[in-house]
């Protein structure tokens, strides 16, 4: 089976000579394998295409993909975004009384699948010619047509548990609650106080209790438009869980949250499922999309893996146990499906971290006890040193001064008291990324990019893949990769990266870890990494700087520790424990309250040995 996919954001027919049509062998013989559609862009016939690949090579903007797929996928199309558009095969299956996790690369259809299951998007089952007419009927409010389309979907899944689910959805006999991926859009559709929003959606009488558990009490009287990203994320989770639904769909719960807040959100979701079992309706199911493996490992009972080629096609696996599913995803080989999704497995070092002895001549920068005060907040720093060829991980709650520390070290803002001895040049990637009207290629041309940066930074981070786009059109992950690349391409001795993994999927995080580690080792530079993905910090860091204090009031650097001491201090404060997976040696978060979790806490060993 063969599919043809056109990346419409890359295709620029006004800037090319229609090479895809001009050089197609079938078109030259009079067969209309490629024609120009009404929008001026090519339309490729998958039935007529022979898969020679000439159009792929000749397209100056790399906008065409011709992909060969297994024949068993034929007829399993769930949804397709127009002719030559992205196609999704299969759907996950939420289980009553359980938490189902979804793991996969960005652009493989995870959000599409959740919107279908939540009843927001009616799938066209690959029949793109019917989509426009159906959309017109829906806009006209034709409920009978909409009901018949859902029944058609149910018949498509005949003989599976999804058939019953969609039949109930067609009869409006199932209630769903949905938390969207992009919470920053909430202020655009709702204005008012947080408390008013939660009371409006509170169908279970638990909204204020959830708000208390998520530490939202101080923002209940604030306007939605005045909330930060982390506050919006927690409000969205609280609003979703407060609805009286049979199925809860949460699309990414960790963006903008620090690790403490991520653990609390995971606990609240787990508690909501447990509490539902005590109620009359014990059939509540939760489905969560998440890229933070630590949270997914701790939260999910089963996992569906999405694989394929981003923005081209996605395939959904059958449910797997959490441990097995994550291990197979990291190994790159799905055993039951007999599919290899990655050339090389993601491997973990088996030995525990060791204390590293540093010499005085390796010091790049040092700082004494300094203070930074402004607007009622005070950051207090202990003395410390930064060494060559080391990666210093920085962890702590939001609003305790981590980003401020980086800015002080980088000379962006002076300390209120104390001294920083810094003669080294520093390159800073800030936490919040700005969008502006400029082609990515123009940014790259302005950088002093040598062969090393081209091979070790731009290519592995995938920047060349979106070099023809404008910065305004980049996805969150692409914008993050560009910001990291720009920072690393600046000549410096210290590279300070503030939340470099935000908006990245697991594959992108793995690439990021490899790039940063190789860059630090080959260049002999120091790196300061602030991040809330605990796996990334564990994989990258040589030492750990731990922040404490009261958010938005007082922040303090508890010290710079070796990895064992630092992680034990940090994990104890979090209330979670780590262990090694017996087969893959990857770090795992123990289920809270499990026998292993209790055992390690009793011994005071929160970090694996």
């Amino acid at each position: 089976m063969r599919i043809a996919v056109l990346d419409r954001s890359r295709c620029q027919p006004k800037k090319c000579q229609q090479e895809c049509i001009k050089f197609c062998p079938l078109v030259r013989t009079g067969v209309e394998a490629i024609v120009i559609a009404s929008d001026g862009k090519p339309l490729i016939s998958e039935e007529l295409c022979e898969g020679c690949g000439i159009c792929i090579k000749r397209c100056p903007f790399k906008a065409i993909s011709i992909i060969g797929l297994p024949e068993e996928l034929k007829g399993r199309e769930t949804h397709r975004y127009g002719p030559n558009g992205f196609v999704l095969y299969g759907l996950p299956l939420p289980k009553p009384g359980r938490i189902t996790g979804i793991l996969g690369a960005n652009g493989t259809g995870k959000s599409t699948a959740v919107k279908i299951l939540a009843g927001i998007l009616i799938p066209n089952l690959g029949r793109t010619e019917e989509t426009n007419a159906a959309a017109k009927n829906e806009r006209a409010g034709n409920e009978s047509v909409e009901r018949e389309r859902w029944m058609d979907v149910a018949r498509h899944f005949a003989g599976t548990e999804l058939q019953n689910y969609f039949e109930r959805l067609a009869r409006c006999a199932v209630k769903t609650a949905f938390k969207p991926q992009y919470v920053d859009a909430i202020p655009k559709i709702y204005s008012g106080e947080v408390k008013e929003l939660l009371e409006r959606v509170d169908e279970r009488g638990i909204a204020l209790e959830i708000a208390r558990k998520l530490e939202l009490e101080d923002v209940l009287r604030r306007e939605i438009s005045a909330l930060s990203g982390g506050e919006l994320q927690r409000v969205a989770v609280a609003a979703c869980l407060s609805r009286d639904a049979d199925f809860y769909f949460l699309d990414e719960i960790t963006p903008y949250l620090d690790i403490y807040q991520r653990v609390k959100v995971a606990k609240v979701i787990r508690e909501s499922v447990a509490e539902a079992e005590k109620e009359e309706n014990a059939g509540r199911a939760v489905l969560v999309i998440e890229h933070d493996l630590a949270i997914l490992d701790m939260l999910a009972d089963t996992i569906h893996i999405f694989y394929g080629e981003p923005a081209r096609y996605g395939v959904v696996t059958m449910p797997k146990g959490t441990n097995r599913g994550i291990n197979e995803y990291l190994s790159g080989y799905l055993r039951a499906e007999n599919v290899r999704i990655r050339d090389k497995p993601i491997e973990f070092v088996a030995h525990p971290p060791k204390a590293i002895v540093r010499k005085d001549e390796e010091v790049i920068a040092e700082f004494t006890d300094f203070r930074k005060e402004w607007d009622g907040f005070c950051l207090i720093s202990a003395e410390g040193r930064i060494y060559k060829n080391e990666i210093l991980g920085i962890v702590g709650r939001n609003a305790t001064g981590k980003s401020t520390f980086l800015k002080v070290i980088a000379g962006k803002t002076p300390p209120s008291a104390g001294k920083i001895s810094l003669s080294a040049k520093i390159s800073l990637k800030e936490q919040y990324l700005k969008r502006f009207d400029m082609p990515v290629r123009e940014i790259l041309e302005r950088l002093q990019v040598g062969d090393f940066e081209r091979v070790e930074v731009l290519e592995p981070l995938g920047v060349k893949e979106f070099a023809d786009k404008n910065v305004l059109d980049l996805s969150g992950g692409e914008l993050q990769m560009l910001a990291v690349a720009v920072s690393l391409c600046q000549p410096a001795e210290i590279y300070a990266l503030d939340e470099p993994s935000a908006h990245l999927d697991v594959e992108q995080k793995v690439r990021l870890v490899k790039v940063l580690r190789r860059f630090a080792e080959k260049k002999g530079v120091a790196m300061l990494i602030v991040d809330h993905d605990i796996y990334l910090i564990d994989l990258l860091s040589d030492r750990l700087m731990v922040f404490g204090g009261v958010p938005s009031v007082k922040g303090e650097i508890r010290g710079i520790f070796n990895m064992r001491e630092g992680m034990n201090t940090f994990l104890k404060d979090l209330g979670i424990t780590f262990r090694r997976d017996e087969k893959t040696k990857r770090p795992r978060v123990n289920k809270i309250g499990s026998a292993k979790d209790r055992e390690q806490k009793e011994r005071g060993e929160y970090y694996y040995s």
Side-chain angles (χ1 to χ4, degrees), residues 6 8 71 83 87 102 123 125 186 226 233 236 246 255 278 299-300 399 415 451 453 517 534 539 544 572:
L6 177 70
R8 309 190 77 79
E71 283 296 325
V87 57
I102 292 183
L125 307 177
I186 294 176
Q233 187 70 262
D246 303 301
K278 303 174 184 178
L299 183 62
D451 291 337
E453 286 78 15
R517 173 54 65 188
I534 201 166
L539 288 171
L544 205 63
K572 184 176 182 180

PDB file of all heavy atoms in Angstrom, residues 6 8 71 83 87 102 123 125 186 226 233 236 246 255 278 299-300 399 415 451 453 517 534 539 544 572:
ATOM      1  N   LEU A   6       1.525  15.578   0.990  1.00  0.00           N
ATOM      2  CA  LEU A   6       2.063  16.883   0.611  1.00  0.00           C
ATOM      3  C   LEU A   6       2.101  17.780   1.843  1.00  0.00           C
ATOM      4  O   LEU A   6       1.065  18.020   2.482  1.00  0.00           O
ATOM      5  CB  LEU A   6       1.194  17.531  -0.472  1.00  0.00           C
ATOM      6  CG  LEU A   6       1.616  18.940  -0.910  1.00  0.00           C
ATOM      7  CD1 LEU A   6       2.925  18.880  -1.692  1.00  0.00           C
ATOM      8  CD2 LEU A   6       0.521  19.600  -1.751  1.00  0.00           C
ATOM      9  N   ARG A   8       1.810  20.991   3.035  1.00  0.00           N
ATOM     10  CA  ARG A   8       1.264  22.205   2.435  1.00  0.00           C
ATOM     11  C   ARG A   8       1.965  23.463   2.932  1.00  0.00           C
ATOM     12  O   ARG A   8       1.981  24.493   2.246  1.00  0.00           O
ATOM     13  CB  ARG A   8      -0.246  22.284   2.694  1.00  0.00           C
ATOM     14  CG  ARG A   8      -0.985  21.002   2.303  1.00  0.00           C
ATOM     15  CD  ARG A   8      -2.477  21.186   2.337  1.00  0.00           C
ATOM     16  NE  ARG A   8      -2.958  21.919   1.170  1.00  0.00           N
ATOM     17  CZ  ARG A   8      -3.135  21.375  -0.019  1.00  0.00           C
ATOM     18  NH1 ARG A   8      -2.849  20.095  -0.227  1.00  0.00           N
ATOM     19  NH2 ARG A   8      -3.583  22.088  -1.017  1.00  0.00           N
ATOM     20  N   GLU A  71       0.256  -3.748   3.826  1.00  0.00           N
ATOM     21  CA  GLU A  71      -1.079  -3.932   3.264  1.00  0.00           C
ATOM     22  C   GLU A  71      -2.139  -4.087   4.348  1.00  0.00           C
ATOM     23  O   GLU A  71      -3.306  -3.743   4.142  1.00  0.00           O
ATOM     24  CB  GLU A  71      -1.100  -5.154   2.341  1.00  0.00           C
ATOM     25  CG  GLU A  71      -0.481  -4.925   0.980  1.00  0.00           C
ATOM     26  CD  GLU A  71      -1.241  -3.901   0.148  1.00  0.00           C
ATOM     27  OE1 GLU A  71      -2.489  -3.856   0.257  1.00  0.00           O
ATOM     28  OE2 GLU A  71      -0.590  -3.146  -0.596  1.00  0.00           O
ATOM     29  N   PRO A  83      -7.101  15.305   0.789  1.00  0.00           N
ATOM     30  CA  PRO A  83      -6.277  14.538  -0.160  1.00  0.00           C
ATOM     31  C   PRO A  83      -4.798  14.843   0.047  1.00  0.00           C
ATOM     32  O   PRO A  83      -4.407  15.997   0.204  1.00  0.00           O
ATOM     33  CB  PRO A  83      -6.768  15.042  -1.527  1.00  0.00           C
ATOM     34  CG  PRO A  83      -8.127  15.603  -1.269  1.00  0.00           C
ATOM     35  CD  PRO A  83      -8.087  16.166   0.106  1.00  0.00           C
ATOM     36  N   VAL A  87      -2.625  11.025   7.610  1.00  0.00           N
ATOM     37  CA  VAL A  87      -3.629   9.980   7.826  1.00  0.00           C
ATOM     38  C   VAL A  87      -3.325   9.231   9.115  1.00  0.00           C
ATOM     39  O   VAL A  87      -2.171   8.908   9.414  1.00  0.00           O
ATOM     40  CB  VAL A  87      -3.691   9.005   6.617  1.00  0.00           C
ATOM     41  CG1 VAL A  87      -2.337   8.382   6.343  1.00  0.00           C
ATOM     42  CG2 VAL A  87      -4.739   7.911   6.845  1.00  0.00           C
ATOM     43  N   ILE A 102      -0.848   7.717  26.477  1.00  0.00           N
ATOM     44  CA  ILE A 102      -0.520   7.739  25.051  1.00  0.00           C
ATOM     45  C   ILE A 102       0.882   8.301  24.906  1.00  0.00           C
ATOM     46  O   ILE A 102       1.190   9.372  25.411  1.00  0.00           O
ATOM     47  CB  ILE A 102      -1.522   8.592  24.250  1.00  0.00           C
ATOM     48  CG1 ILE A 102      -2.896   7.915  24.237  1.00  0.00           C
ATOM     49  CG2 ILE A 102      -1.040   8.799  22.834  1.00  0.00           C
ATOM     50  CD1 ILE A 102      -3.925   8.652  23.421  1.00  0.00           C
ATOM     51  N   PRO A 123     -14.495  11.471  12.669  1.00  0.00           N
ATOM     52  CA  PRO A 123     -13.505  10.993  11.694  1.00  0.00           C
ATOM     53  C   PRO A 123     -14.149  10.694  10.350  1.00  0.00           C
ATOM     54  O   PRO A 123     -15.292  10.240  10.281  1.00  0.00           O
ATOM     55  CB  PRO A 123     -12.959   9.724  12.350  1.00  0.00           C
ATOM     56  CG  PRO A 123     -14.059   9.241  13.233  1.00  0.00           C
ATOM     57  CD  PRO A 123     -14.741  10.479  13.741  1.00  0.00           C
ATOM     58  N   LEU A 125     -12.829   8.503   8.208  1.00  0.00           N
ATOM     59  CA  LEU A 125     -12.455   7.136   7.838  1.00  0.00           C
ATOM     60  C   LEU A 125     -11.656   7.085   6.535  1.00  0.00           C
ATOM     61  O   LEU A 125     -11.708   6.109   5.793  1.00  0.00           O
ATOM     62  CB  LEU A 125     -13.700   6.238   7.733  1.00  0.00           C
ATOM     63  CG  LEU A 125     -14.611   6.246   8.970  1.00  0.00           C
ATOM     64  CD1 LEU A 125     -15.837   5.375   8.734  1.00  0.00           C
ATOM     65  CD2 LEU A 125     -13.853   5.791  10.218  1.00  0.00           C
ATOM     66  N   ILE A 186      -7.165  29.467  26.451  1.00  0.00           N
ATOM     67  CA  ILE A 186      -8.339  29.564  27.330  1.00  0.00           C
ATOM     68  C   ILE A 186      -8.777  31.013  27.549  1.00  0.00           C
ATOM     69  O   ILE A 186      -9.978  31.316  27.478  1.00  0.00           O
ATOM     70  CB  ILE A 186      -8.064  28.852  28.672  1.00  0.00           C
ATOM     71  CG1 ILE A 186      -7.907  27.344  28.444  1.00  0.00           C
ATOM     72  CG2 ILE A 186      -9.175  29.126  29.681  1.00  0.00           C
ATOM     73  CD1 ILE A 186      -7.546  26.562  29.686  1.00  0.00           C
ATOM     74  N   ALA A 226      -5.130  36.916  33.614  1.00  0.00           N
ATOM     75  CA  ALA A 226      -3.952  37.321  34.383  1.00  0.00           C
ATOM     76  C   ALA A 226      -3.122  36.131  34.865  1.00  0.00           C
ATOM     77  O   ALA A 226      -2.128  36.317  35.574  1.00  0.00           O
ATOM     78  CB  ALA A 226      -4.376  38.166  35.591  1.00  0.00           C
ATOM     79  N   GLN A 233      -2.592  25.833  33.272  1.00  0.00           N
ATOM     80  CA  GLN A 233      -2.546  24.382  33.112  1.00  0.00           C
ATOM     81  C   GLN A 233      -3.270  23.688  34.268  1.00  0.00           C
ATOM     82  O   GLN A 233      -4.088  22.770  34.062  1.00  0.00           O
ATOM     83  CB  GLN A 233      -1.094  23.906  33.059  1.00  0.00           C
ATOM     84  CG  GLN A 233      -0.919  22.439  32.730  1.00  0.00           C
ATOM     85  CD  GLN A 233      -1.269  22.114  31.305  1.00  0.00           C
ATOM     86  OE1 GLN A 233      -2.366  21.656  31.013  1.00  0.00           O
ATOM     87  NE2 GLN A 233      -0.336  22.368  30.394  1.00  0.00           N
ATOM     88  N   ALA A 236      -7.040  24.259  34.078  1.00  0.00           N
ATOM     89  CA  ALA A 236      -7.638  23.424  33.030  1.00  0.00           C
ATOM     90  C   ALA A 236      -7.828  21.994  33.503  1.00  0.00           C
ATOM     91  O   ALA A 236      -8.856  21.365  33.228  1.00  0.00           O
ATOM     92  CB  ALA A 236      -6.760  23.460  31.783  1.00  0.00           C
ATOM     93  N   ASP A 246     -18.014  10.203  31.947  1.00  0.00           N
ATOM     94  CA  ASP A 246     -17.628   8.793  31.930  1.00  0.00           C
ATOM     95  C   ASP A 246     -16.178   8.639  31.481  1.00  0.00           C
ATOM     96  O   ASP A 246     -15.485   7.728  31.919  1.00  0.00           O
ATOM     97  CB  ASP A 246     -18.533   8.009  30.971  1.00  0.00           C
ATOM     98  CG  ASP A 246     -20.005   8.150  31.319  1.00  0.00           C
ATOM     99  OD1 ASP A 246     -20.365   7.782  32.447  1.00  0.00           O
ATOM    100  OD2 ASP A 246     -20.776   8.639  30.473  1.00  0.00           O
ATOM    101  N   PRO A 255       3.192  20.668  30.503  1.00  0.00           N
ATOM    102  CA  PRO A 255       3.793  21.921  30.049  1.00  0.00           C
ATOM    103  C   PRO A 255       3.534  23.076  31.022  1.00  0.00           C
ATOM    104  O   PRO A 255       2.434  23.199  31.576  1.00  0.00           O
ATOM    105  CB  PRO A 255       3.100  22.176  28.708  1.00  0.00           C
ATOM    106  CG  PRO A 255       2.791  20.812  28.196  1.00  0.00           C
ATOM    107  CD  PRO A 255       2.404  20.037  29.425  1.00  0.00           C
ATOM    108  N   LYS A 278     -15.716   4.548  44.269  1.00  0.00           N
ATOM    109  CA  LYS A 278     -16.575   4.532  45.453  1.00  0.00           C
ATOM    110  C   LYS A 278     -17.952   5.107  45.146  1.00  0.00           C
ATOM    111  O   LYS A 278     -18.888   4.956  45.916  1.00  0.00           O
ATOM    112  CB  LYS A 278     -15.926   5.356  46.573  1.00  0.00           C
ATOM    113  CG  LYS A 278     -14.530   4.874  46.959  1.00  0.00           C
ATOM    114  CD  LYS A 278     -13.904   5.817  47.970  1.00  0.00           C
ATOM    115  CE  LYS A 278     -12.471   5.416  48.288  1.00  0.00           C
ATOM    116  NZ  LYS A 278     -11.825   6.361  49.239  1.00  0.00           N
ATOM    117  N   LEU A 299       1.917   7.395  36.411  1.00  0.00           N
ATOM    118  CA  LEU A 299       0.477   7.628  36.327  1.00  0.00           C
ATOM    119  C   LEU A 299      -0.293   6.524  35.622  1.00  0.00           C
ATOM    120  O   LEU A 299      -1.354   6.099  36.079  1.00  0.00           O
ATOM    121  CB  LEU A 299       0.242   8.964  35.607  1.00  0.00           C
ATOM    122  CG  LEU A 299      -1.190   9.463  35.459  1.00  0.00           C
ATOM    123  CD1 LEU A 299      -1.812   9.691  36.830  1.00  0.00           C
ATOM    124  CD2 LEU A 299      -1.209  10.754  34.655  1.00  0.00           C
ATOM    125  N   ALA A 300       0.214   6.048  34.483  1.00  0.00           N
ATOM    126  CA  ALA A 300      -0.581   5.195  33.599  1.00  0.00           C
ATOM    127  C   ALA A 300      -0.622   3.732  34.041  1.00  0.00           C
ATOM    128  O   ALA A 300       0.346   3.203  34.584  1.00  0.00           O
ATOM    129  CB  ALA A 300      -0.040   5.285  32.171  1.00  0.00           C
ATOM    130  N   ALA A 399       9.203  29.803  40.290  1.00  0.00           N
ATOM    131  CA  ALA A 399       9.185  31.068  41.032  1.00  0.00           C
ATOM    132  C   ALA A 399      10.057  31.044  42.282  1.00  0.00           C
ATOM    133  O   ALA A 399       9.776  31.722  43.267  1.00  0.00           O
ATOM    134  CB  ALA A 399       7.753  31.454  41.407  1.00  0.00           C
ATOM    135  N   PRO A 415      23.559  41.559  40.739  1.00  0.00           N
ATOM    136  CA  PRO A 415      23.091  41.154  42.062  1.00  0.00           C
ATOM    137  C   PRO A 415      22.895  42.375  42.957  1.00  0.00           C
ATOM    138  O   PRO A 415      23.547  43.399  42.773  1.00  0.00           O
ATOM    139  CB  PRO A 415      24.224  40.250  42.567  1.00  0.00           C
ATOM    140  CG  PRO A 415      25.431  40.726  41.836  1.00  0.00           C
ATOM    141  CD  PRO A 415      24.955  41.158  40.492  1.00  0.00           C
ATOM    142  N   ASP A 451      31.781  24.108  10.614  1.00  0.00           N
ATOM    143  CA  ASP A 451      31.488  22.702  10.310  1.00  0.00           C
ATOM    144  C   ASP A 451      31.060  21.939  11.566  1.00  0.00           C
ATOM    145  O   ASP A 451      30.177  21.078  11.511  1.00  0.00           O
ATOM    146  CB  ASP A 451      32.718  22.036   9.688  1.00  0.00           C
ATOM    147  CG  ASP A 451      33.022  22.568   8.291  1.00  0.00           C
ATOM    148  OD1 ASP A 451      32.088  23.098   7.654  1.00  0.00           O
ATOM    149  OD2 ASP A 451      34.176  22.465   7.847  1.00  0.00           O
ATOM    150  N   GLU A 453      29.487  23.093  14.317  1.00  0.00           N
ATOM    151  CA  GLU A 453      28.117  23.441  14.683  1.00  0.00           C
ATOM    152  C   GLU A 453      27.113  22.854  13.685  1.00  0.00           C
ATOM    153  O   GLU A 453      26.026  22.424  14.064  1.00  0.00           O
ATOM    154  CB  GLU A 453      27.951  24.959  14.749  1.00  0.00           C
ATOM    155  CG  GLU A 453      28.590  25.622  15.961  1.00  0.00           C
ATOM    156  CD  GLU A 453      30.088  25.763  15.820  1.00  0.00           C
ATOM    157  OE1 GLU A 453      30.610  25.624  14.686  1.00  0.00           O
ATOM    158  OE2 GLU A 453      30.769  26.010  16.841  1.00  0.00           O
ATOM    159  N   ARG A 517      25.346  16.710  25.490  1.00  0.00           N
ATOM    160  CA  ARG A 517      26.445  15.946  26.071  1.00  0.00           C
ATOM    161  C   ARG A 517      27.670  15.966  25.159  1.00  0.00           C
ATOM    162  O   ARG A 517      28.795  16.234  25.622  1.00  0.00           O
ATOM    163  CB  ARG A 517      25.986  14.506  26.330  1.00  0.00           C
ATOM    164  CG  ARG A 517      27.058  13.536  26.787  1.00  0.00           C
ATOM    165  CD  ARG A 517      27.813  14.022  27.992  1.00  0.00           C
ATOM    166  NE  ARG A 517      26.966  14.112  29.178  1.00  0.00           N
ATOM    167  CZ  ARG A 517      27.363  14.650  30.325  1.00  0.00           C
ATOM    168  NH1 ARG A 517      28.584  15.166  30.418  1.00  0.00           N
ATOM    169  NH2 ARG A 517      26.560  14.702  31.356  1.00  0.00           N
ATOM    170  N   ILE A 534      12.590  15.336  34.851  1.00  0.00           N
ATOM    171  CA  ILE A 534      13.535  14.736  35.788  1.00  0.00           C
ATOM    172  C   ILE A 534      14.416  13.680  35.120  1.00  0.00           C
ATOM    173  O   ILE A 534      15.565  13.470  35.507  1.00  0.00           O
ATOM    174  CB  ILE A 534      12.768  14.162  37.003  1.00  0.00           C
ATOM    175  CG1 ILE A 534      13.711  13.999  38.198  1.00  0.00           C
ATOM    176  CG2 ILE A 534      12.059  12.884  36.673  1.00  0.00           C
ATOM    177  CD1 ILE A 534      12.991  13.764  39.489  1.00  0.00           C
ATOM    178  N   LEU A 539      19.812  12.165  33.147  1.00  0.00           N
ATOM    179  CA  LEU A 539      20.675  11.679  32.070  1.00  0.00           C
ATOM    180  C   LEU A 539      21.818  12.647  31.767  1.00  0.00           C
ATOM    181  O   LEU A 539      22.917  12.226  31.405  1.00  0.00           O
ATOM    182  CB  LEU A 539      19.851  11.458  30.797  1.00  0.00           C
ATOM    183  CG  LEU A 539      18.899  10.265  30.791  1.00  0.00           C
ATOM    184  CD1 LEU A 539      18.001  10.320  29.563  1.00  0.00           C
ATOM    185  CD2 LEU A 539      19.667   8.959  30.808  1.00  0.00           C
ATOM    186  N   LEU A 544      24.395  18.638  40.653  1.00  0.00           N
ATOM    187  CA  LEU A 544      23.033  19.141  40.766  1.00  0.00           C
ATOM    188  C   LEU A 544      22.985  20.347  41.701  1.00  0.00           C
ATOM    189  O   LEU A 544      23.492  20.294  42.825  1.00  0.00           O
ATOM    190  CB  LEU A 544      22.108  18.041  41.296  1.00  0.00           C
ATOM    191  CG  LEU A 544      20.621  18.136  40.936  1.00  0.00           C
ATOM    192  CD1 LEU A 544      20.433  18.030  39.438  1.00  0.00           C
ATOM    193  CD2 LEU A 544      19.831  17.039  41.639  1.00  0.00           C
ATOM    194  N   LYS A 572      13.383  13.417  47.895  1.00  0.00           N
ATOM    195  CA  LYS A 572      12.752  13.343  49.221  1.00  0.00           C
ATOM    196  C   LYS A 572      11.750  14.467  49.390  1.00  0.00           C
ATOM    197  O   LYS A 572      10.654  14.274  49.929  1.00  0.00           O
ATOM    198  CB  LYS A 572      13.816  13.411  50.313  1.00  0.00           C
ATOM    199  CG  LYS A 572      13.244  13.251  51.723  1.00  0.00           C
ATOM    200  CD  LYS A 572      14.347  13.224  52.766  1.00  0.00           C
ATOM    201  CE  LYS A 572      13.764  13.019  54.168  1.00  0.00           C
ATOM    202  NZ  LYS A 572      14.835  12.981  55.195  1.00  0.00           N
TER     203      LYS A 572
END
